[in-house]
Amino acid sequence: MTTTIDIGTLVIRTPETCGNRPRIAGTRISVEQIAVLSKQGLTPTEIVQEYGFINLAQVHAALAYYHANTEEIEGYLAAEKAEYERLEAEYIASQQK
């Protein structure tokens, strides 16, 4: 007999892990990470192969969360990009002194 998994349990958020951002339950793999890999052209199967310890259902759940909450996840990605650019500019300025 197979075990039925409630797909609502595959993506969670907890304040103490990943800054309360949505992630695959039992891992530190965020929905953002899965979305970026997908946007880079990796298929769900390739993402599973890349990590090795997550399964296809988890990847599809993360992608479903992303598509249902695109604005939220894109906001996180934009904030990370802005922080990267700020730190890069700060580093470049410090090298020119």
Side-chain angles (χ1 to χ4, degrees), residues 58-80:
Q58 291 170 310
V59 171
H60 281 290
L63 289 171
Y65 186 98
Y66 169 71
H67 289 292
N69 301 282
T70 304
E71 189 174 314
E72 172 194 9
I73 303 303
E74 289 296 328
Y76 293 143
L77 292 172
E80 285 183 13

Side-chain angles (χ1 to χ4, degrees), residues 6-75:
D6 176 1
I7 62 169
T9 64
L10 296 176
V11 173
I12 62 169
R13 51 169 83 226
T14 53
E16 66 280 356
T17 307
C18 297
N20 204 35
R21 292 180 179 185
R23 64 185 171 85
I24 295 174
T27 75
R28 295 183 59 81
I29 306 296
S30 68
V31 169
E32 291 166 66
Q33 289 172 276
I34 300 299
V36 167
L37 292 171
S38 177
K39 290 167 90 173
Q40 290 174 343
L42 274 70
T43 66
T45 300
E46 290 169 332
I47 295 170
V48 168
Q49 292 168 348
E50 181 78 21
Y51 284 100
F53 58 89
I54 59 176
N55 63 47
L56 203 50
Q58 291 170 310
V59 171
H60 281 290
L63 289 171
Y65 186 98
Y66 169 71
H67 289 292
N69 301 282
T70 304
E71 189 174 314
E72 172 194 9
I73 303 303
E74 289 296 328

